[in-house]
Amino acid sequence: MKIALDEKAVEWFKKELDFPENKALRFYVRYGGDVNLKQGFSPAFTVDTVDPEGYSETQSGLTYYVDEKDLWYYEDHILNVTCKNDEIEYSISNNIES
């Protein structure tokens, strides 16, 4: 799995969300929504404390991660996160090597 943020998305998150010390951007799985990687579920985000047991990356000073309990949703895929017209958009790429 991989989460790929473009630079516009990174800047949007940093501008729009408050990241106190020891906090990061957490992607999680929610019921419903528009992106149907797994039927009936879609990605969402919040600001939270990093889970050392999951997936995490840092890009341009922004740390983002997925808790271990949500890895099932993203496995074997790339979640592409972009910002267009001041809104966050998701798309899915397949065939990632684990």
Side-chain angles (χ1 to χ4, degrees):
M1 73 151 292
K2 179 168 180 59
I3 297 179
L5 278 68
D6 72 6
E7 280 303 315
K8 287 183 180 180
V10 169
E11 292 308 313
W12 186 92
F13 285 120
K14 288 166 70 174
K15 181 180 90 177
E16 297 293 329
L17 303 176
D18 181 30
F19 291 97
E21 191 172 325
N22 299 322
K23 299 289 183 173
L25 181 65
R26 176 172 63 98
F27 288 94
Y28 63 97
V29 181
R30 70 182 182 113
Y31 186 72
D34 295 334
V35 179
N36 283 313
L37 176 58
K38 307 271 192 266
Q39 187 173 4
F41 298 93
S42 64
F45 61 85
T46 191
V47 176
D48 206 343
T49 304
V50 177
D51 175 6
E53 300 298 320
Y55 162 91
S56 69
E57 286 196 41
T58 300
Q59 180 179 335
S60 299
L62 175 69
T63 299
Y64 53 97
Y65 70 100
V66 176
D67 284 336
E68 184 175 35
K69 67 182 170 92
D70 289 330
L71 293 176
W72 65 271
Y73 180 79
Y74 302 99
E75 67 185 357
D76 300 327
H77 293 88
I78 300 171
L79 175 66
N80 301 293
V81 183
T82 59
C83 182
K84 294 182 182 169
N85 299 321
D86 207 32
E87 291 187 18
I88 294 298
E89 295 184 2
Y90 302 108
S91 64
I92 304 297
S93 300
N94 295 320
N95 302 326
I96 185 171
E97 294 182 23
S98 298

